Amino acid sequence: MTLSLEERWTLIDKISRETVTFGKYEHTLKDAIGELTVKPLTGIPVAIAIMYGFWSAFGSFAGTLMTDGFFVKLFDGYWLPWLQGAFPGQGSWLYSIMVDAGGLGGSEFVLSDTCFEAFGVLTSGIFVAIGVVLPAISIFYLMLALLEDVGYMPRLAVLLDTVLHRVGLHGYAIVPTILSLGCNVPGVAATRILETKKQRFIMMTLLAIFIPCGAQIGIMDKVVPALMGWILLYLIIGYFIFGYILNKVVPGKAPEFLIDVPPYRKPLMRNITKKIWGRITGFFKVALPFVMLGCAIVNVLYLLGVIQWLGDVLAPIFVGWFGVPKETAGPLVAAFLRKDLAVAQLSVINMTDYQRITAVVLVTIYFPCVATFAMMLKEGWKELIAAIGVLIIVVFTYGGLIHLIGIILGVAE
Amino acid sequence: MGHPNVGKSVFFNRLTGANVTESNYPGTTVDYTKGWMKIEGEDVELVDVPGTFSLDPKDKAEDVAVAMLHETRDVKVISVIDASKIERGLYLALEIIEEGYPVVIALNMWDVAWDKNIRIDARKLEQILGVPVVPTTAISGEGIKELVSRLKDIQPVEVDDIIANAGGLT
Amino acid sequence: MNYDETGTVTDIDGDLRKRVAGMGIRVGKRLRMITKQPIKGPVVVIVDEAETSLGLELAERITVGVD
Ligand SMILES: Nc1nc2c(ncn2[C@@H]2O[C@H](COP(=O)(O)OP(=O)(O)OP(=O)(O)O)[C@@H](O)[C@H]2O)c(=O)[nH]1
Ligand SMILES: [Mg+2]
């Protein structure tokens, strides 16, 4: 037998009267902070402060302290020269793939000075993965775990609800978005907390296109620190422009927001370490092999001349439409496997700052990496195909638009 | 089963030794995870599901949980309730009981309820509902042993009996 | 319509009744509204010491008698 809603509540009322006594509830400091962080007047400044703190901790720990202060010295100073000498057969295929291609595309063999230029599996591959990406994601996940366990996410959702409504989503879409900043895969999975198909589709498409993952942000911050602001600005603007358009175009409903805001809790050390540990082991198991594989594949394609050929074929689009050098074709191939690798590769191609901004944005918005791809497929192949359709349109229009803006600003031609 | 963010995943990890994510926001778990635990030497399968506010799913994550419940009729349900929000927790627990599932209720976040000066007479609640009710604090492990020990002898109950025990609907 | 401070729920519109039931919001419950975000943003209410946030359109369908 089932009860009606009213009957069930009546029953609960009765039971509760017999078994529960509500003592006097005293407002605690936690509640006070809780209220302050959702009230717009106080909450928005707090949110900005938290995000800023997040960002600067990320930059200073990952970029400055670990990568520049330690790993660059280690890899460029010791590992690379040692390997260049110790690995047999300089100039051979294997040597080029594993250690040092000696100036990509150039006719003379010159030993590289840095692990960015060498582009061997054992040099750049390992350096990018361990020296740059690992510190970046470690600190990212530490801070993410803190935000999650303290209980801040739902409050951020409340504050951002209004803005996200403009793109057919609601405040809670911030959860998949933030998770995606770590890795797009759990981000795509988290779209399930959104109510309608429309919302999930918009969210998934925006994530796959505009949200760079932690690994990628880490390396961007390393190779193009001065241009980060521009790149992120372009991505955020894109997120909203195309979100707005999708909201208008995609049929379906965008229901209102209805969520539970949990109380703040003191994060458990045990849980935080467990999460980070899980991420780091996952990184070694999944990301590291992919970075190395990606590196190897790109090198082989270079040696076979495929990338040069692709560059020539695509040159009109690259140079004419996007305004970036045709060598960018190589990184775009790598981007399908690992975006961090692609950004690392871009850093050694000779181009102007504005071209670099465009190229990095393109690497981000163009195809999601294989892992994300697989996850999207799991959520439905129809959506995946539609998302790819949107993606292609976005890459061309937005890429062209960025080029156009550059021309107008007089920094591109 | 239980509302989002009541500690289901903490329970699951403790009981099976698994490693699913626990976070302080609703909607952490969006897919089910299966695991195994031992009860008196016997292997028993346990499933962690996303939280849901009712048996009438409003999003895809809730859908996973409700579908899991409905597809496997011969299951026992650990209904995890946030003791500090007991009334709404009972709402979902009753829905599950009404559908005829054998249920054990974990009054989780007992520590939180205690701090909020909410006192629940678990014994009496158990008498009225006719299903085991165990106060627990999942993060410290309190009450989990008792919960497990009571899992084996749970039975479906009739709502009519509950109504009678509570003294009618008026 | 809702205002700040405390009140008692007197009516909930149609199917919404079912949706918010799981969140403990129902007729006769006392609730306190703690914030209302600007530009048609969501409201945050406290029911039984649990914070819930609702979009304004949903909130408007819940009638509260303010004391
Ligand atoms: N104080 C206290 N906190 C708890 C207790 N049980 C769980 N928590 C905390 O509550 C939060 C939610 O726990 P989860 O296990 O992720 O919740 P869940 O029910 O799986 O949530 P969803 O996956 O979103 O449905 C975490 O931050 C836990 O640390 C408890 O008994 N007492
Ligand atoms: Mg969970």
Side-chain angles (χ1 to χ4, degrees), chain A residues 169-398:
Chain A
L169 299 169
H170 59 55
Y172 224 51
I174 197 65
V175 171
T177 306
I178 288 189
L179 292 182
S180 278
L181 286 171
C183 172
N184 282 351
V185 176
V188 169
T191 56
R192 294 188 178 182
I193 57 175
L194 299 173
E195 288 87 349
T196 63
K197 264 209 156 95
K198 168 177 175 161
Q199 285 179 312
R200 284 198 294 274
F201 176 71
I202 295 181
M203 186 79 257
M204 214 183 281
T205 311
L206 291 181
L207 292 181
I209 301 179
F210 290 107
I211 306 294
C213 69
Q216 200 190 338
I217 299 175
I219 192 138
M220 271 154 52
D221 193 41
K222 170 75 194 92
V223 298
V224 285
L227 311 176
M228 273 309 266
W230 279 100
I231 295 167
L232 294 181
L233 188 67
Y234 270 128
L235 292 176
I236 295 171
I237 293 175
Y239 181 101
F240 283 103
I241 294 181
F242 288 95
Y244 185 83
I245 298 172
L246 281 175
N247 183 28
K248 294 276 180 257
V249 181
V250 181
K253 271 205 221 128
E256 283 271 359
F257 167 80
L258 177 64
I259 62 155
D260 221 28
V261 184
Y264 280 132
R265 267 190 252 283
K266 201 162 127 253
L268 293 171
M269 209 40 216
R270 195 182 62 218
N271 195 33
I272 304 260
T273 43
K274 199 171 82 181
K275 278 186 191 174
I276 296 173
W277 182 242
R279 288 300 182 178
I280 292 178
T281 47
F283 173 81
F284 276 103
K285 273 191 242 147
V286 184
L288 189 60
F290 261 103
V291 171
M292 295 175 68
L293 180 71
C295 217
I297 292 179
V298 171
N299 279 341
V300 170
L301 292 178
Y302 259 112
L303 290 169
L304 292 174
V306 174
I307 298 211
Q308 291 85 334
W309 173 81
L310 212 62
D312 288 337
V313 173
L314 297 175
I317 300 175
F318 277 69
V319 181
W321 186 252
F322 296 132
V324 294
K326 65 175 186 178
E327 287 80 15
T328 331
L332 283 184
V333 172
F336 187 62
L337 281 164
R338 288 288 304 181
K339 300 217 166 177
D340 41 8
L341 196 63
V343 176
Q345 248 184 312
L346 278 177
S347 70
V348 292
I349 295 175
N350 217 338
M351 53 184 150
T352 66
D353 277 354
Y354 196 79
Q355 284 178 322
R356 220 180 279 286
I357 294 174
T358 316
V360 175
V361 172
L362 279 178
V363 163
T364 311
I365 66 181
Y366 137 102
F367 273 84
C369 73
V370 260
T372 310
F373 215 79
M375 188 67 212
M376 288 172 77
L377 185 62
K378 202 176 148 201
E379 297 295 302
W381 62 270
K382 277 189 216 139
E383 282 83 0
L384 177 66
I385 291 174
I388 292 174
V390 174
L391 187 141
I392 293 171
I393 298 172
V394 169
V395 169
F396 277 95
T397 51
Y398 204 51

Side-chain angles (χ1 to χ4, degrees), chain B residues 8-9 21 28-29 48-49:
Chain B
K8 296 178 298 301
S9 296
T21 316
T28 308
T29 309
D48 182 36
V49 294

Side-chain angles (χ1 to χ4, degrees), chain A residues 38 154-155 157-159 161 256-261, chain C residues 23 25 35 37 41-46 50-56 58-59:
Chain A
V38 287
R155 284 163 235 263
V158 173
L159 292 172
D161 183 60
E256 283 271 359
F257 167 80
L258 177 64
I259 62 155
D260 221 28
V261 184
Chain C
M23 302 186 126
I25 300 174
T35 75
Q37 306 284 327
V43 302
V44 180
V45 296
I46 297 191
E51 272 179 50
T52 298
S53 180
L54 314 103
L56 192 63
L58 294 181

Side-chain angles (χ1 to χ4, degrees), chain C residues 16-45:
Chain C
L16 187 61
R17 199 174 275 239
K18 215 165 167 186
R19 263 186 77 196
V20 295
M23 302 186 126
I25 300 174
R26 59 182 153 134
V27 173
K29 261 288 149 191
R30 296 189 56 74
L31 54 77
R32 189 165 75 87
M33 179 148 106
I34 59 173
T35 75
K36 196 169 183 174
Q37 306 284 327
I39 355 178
K40 293 205 195 142
V43 302
V44 180
V45 296

